[in-house]
């Protein structure tokens, strides 16, 4: 026998490797192990009568009332005379019940997703925001999901709403907008710990949308625009300062040689004449103007 057959698989492990559920730390009044309960005289009589009736009706009524089928992704929790039957959840495949005394509840083990409705939350810096999320969970223990809580799905949904409000109430608006992964991880840990006694495994929590008031959106847009304009002015001023420094260095180089200034004149005339225009420029030496100004 291979090691995989000995240890079972993830969907239905071998009974020898299952964790014992004899004690119920969540609710002492509920025995999750089932064991061999005492049904009393009336219960035993009813049970024996049901078995005899099943034998009499075999195979016609027995096929309809006794043999049940659950799919690969489902489990059946069986109660006999109101007591949890030993052996844990049944399935997948065929299993038998006793008519009139047994009842069972099917539990889906597939991953379920639901949207958390938008929650109006007051952040730590006194900003009102509306936040919604999505939660993915699955049932990992069918017996606990039936015995320990009345409605596992509804309870998980309500707990997700409360957890979202509690976690985001301790965050500022900036943290809510930038630390979504951290908030999702904290919500996941809190929900998983709280729903563990219900047989629920929370797999993933994601923040979908953060809605801000219209006035706050306008104020943030104006603030961002002002910040961009301020950065643009600083960049333009730095450009002017760098350009003035380069012009000063160029002037110092030209002042060392008078021919350099004359060559610059000629270069400027060449660049102007290359364009198609009717402008005529006559260069006038600066030395001549300085002499006329002295007179």
């Amino acid at each position: 026998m291979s090691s995989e057959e000995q240890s079972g698989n993830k969907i239905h492990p071998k009974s020898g490797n299952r964790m014992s559920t004899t004690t119920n730390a969540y609710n002492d009044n509920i025995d999750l192990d089932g064991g061999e309960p005492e049904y009393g005289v009336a219960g035993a009589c009813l049970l024996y009568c049901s078995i005899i009736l099943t034998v009499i009706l075999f195979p016609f009524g027995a096929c309809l009332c006794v043999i049940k089928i659950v799919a690969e992704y489902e489990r059946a929790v069986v109660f006999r005379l109101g007591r949890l039957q030993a052996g844990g959840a049944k399935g997948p495949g065929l299993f038998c019940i006793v008519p009139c005394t047994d009842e069972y509840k099917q539990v889906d083990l597939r991953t379920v997703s639901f949207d958390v409705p938008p929650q109006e939350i007051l952040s730590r810096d006194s900003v009102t925001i509306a936040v919604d999320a999505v939660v993915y969970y699955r049932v990992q223990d069918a017996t606990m999901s039936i015995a320990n809580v009345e409605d596992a799905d509804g309870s998980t949904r309500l707990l997700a709403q409360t957890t979202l409000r509690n976690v985001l109430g301790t965050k500022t608006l900036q943290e809510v907008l930038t630390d979504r992964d951290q908030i999702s991880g904290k919500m996941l840990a809190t929900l998983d710990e709280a729903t563990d006694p219900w047989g629920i495994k929370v797999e993933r929590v994601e923040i979908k949308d953060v809605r801000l008031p219209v006035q706050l959106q306008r104020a943030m847009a104006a603030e961002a625009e002002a910040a961009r304009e301020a950065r643009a002015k600083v960049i333009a001023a730095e450009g002017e300062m760098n350009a003035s420094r380069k012009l000063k260095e160029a002037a110092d180089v030209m002042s060392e040689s008078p021919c350099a200034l004359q060559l610059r004149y000629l270069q400027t005339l060449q660049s102007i004449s290359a364009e198609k225009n009717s402008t005529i420029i006559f260069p006038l030496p600066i030395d001549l103007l300085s002499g006329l100004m002295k007179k």
Side-chain angles (χ1 to χ4, degrees), residues 35-221:
E36 294 296 336
E38 295 292 338
Y39 298 117
V41 177
C45 292
L46 181 60
L47 180 60
Y48 293 147
C49 292
S50 299
I51 296 175
I52 295 173
L53 180 63
T54 303
V55 174
I56 294 174
L57 295 178
F58 186 83
F60 302 103
C63 294
L64 299 177
C65 301
V66 177
I67 300 176
K68 303 296 180 181
I69 301 175
V70 291
E72 178 70 27
Y73 53 83
E74 293 178 331
R75 297 295 183 271
V77 181
V78 181
F79 294 88
R80 176 166 295 168
L81 294 176
R83 300 293 298 272
L84 185 65
Q85 191 173 2
K90 309 298 182 182
L94 295 173
F95 70 97
C96 297
I97 63 173
V98 179
C100 304
T101 61
D102 290 2
E103 64 173 346
Y104 69 97
K105 297 182 181 296
Q106 289 186 214
V107 180
D108 197 327
L109 302 183
R110 292 176 294 182
T111 299
V112 179
S113 64
F114 65 89
D115 293 326
V116 179
Q119 303 294 310
E120 293 286 341
I121 301 169
L122 184 64
S123 62
R124 194 174 65 183
D125 51 355
S126 301
V127 178
T128 302
I129 56 178
V131 183
D132 57 354
V134 60
V135 178
Y136 299 86
Y137 77 93
R138 61 179 173 84
V139 177
Q140 65 177 358
D141 193 314
T143 304
M144 295 176 67
S145 67
I146 294 297
N148 282 347
V149 61
E150 180 182 3
D151 184 4
D153 179 73
S155 301
T156 304
R157 291 173 184 267
L158 293 176
L159 184 61
Q161 298 179 22
T162 306
T163 304
L164 178 63
R165 298 175 67 91
N166 293 339
V167 171
L168 294 182
T170 61
K171 303 292 184 180
T172 63
L173 177 61
Q174 185 67 24
E175 292 174 346
V176 172
L177 296 177
T178 57
D179 298 338
R180 292 194 178 188
D181 294 339
Q182 182 180 0
I183 295 173
S184 299
K186 187 175 181 180
M187 284 189 59
L188 175 62
T190 304
L191 279 175
D192 193 28
E193 181 180 0
T195 57
D196 186 65
W198 302 344
I200 300 295
K201 173 63 177 178
V202 180
E203 297 180 339
R204 192 177 184 87
V205 178
E206 291 293 341
I207 302 297
K208 290 177 60 178
D209 189 19
V210 179
R211 302 174 185 175
L212 305 177
V214 178
Q215 295 181 352
L216 181 59
Q217 294 180 13
R218 294 175 180 174
M220 294 178 65

Side-chain angles (χ1 to χ4, degrees), residues 260-272:
L261 185 59
Q262 188 65 26
L263 292 175
R264 182 59 179 165
Y265 284 157
L266 297 176
Q267 184 181 4
T268 304
L269 288 176
Q270 182 181 6
S271 61
I272 294 175

Side-chain angles (χ1 to χ4, degrees), residues 215-247:
Q215 295 181 352
L216 181 59
Q217 294 180 13
R218 294 175 180 174
M220 294 178 65
E223 181 183 1
E225 184 178 0
R228 287 193 297 268
E229 291 180 356
R231 287 195 299 268
K233 291 180 179 179
V234 171
I235 293 174
E238 291 178 352
E240 292 290 340
M241 182 177 62
N242 294 333
S244 62
R245 289 177 179 175
K246 295 300 181 180
L247 288 174

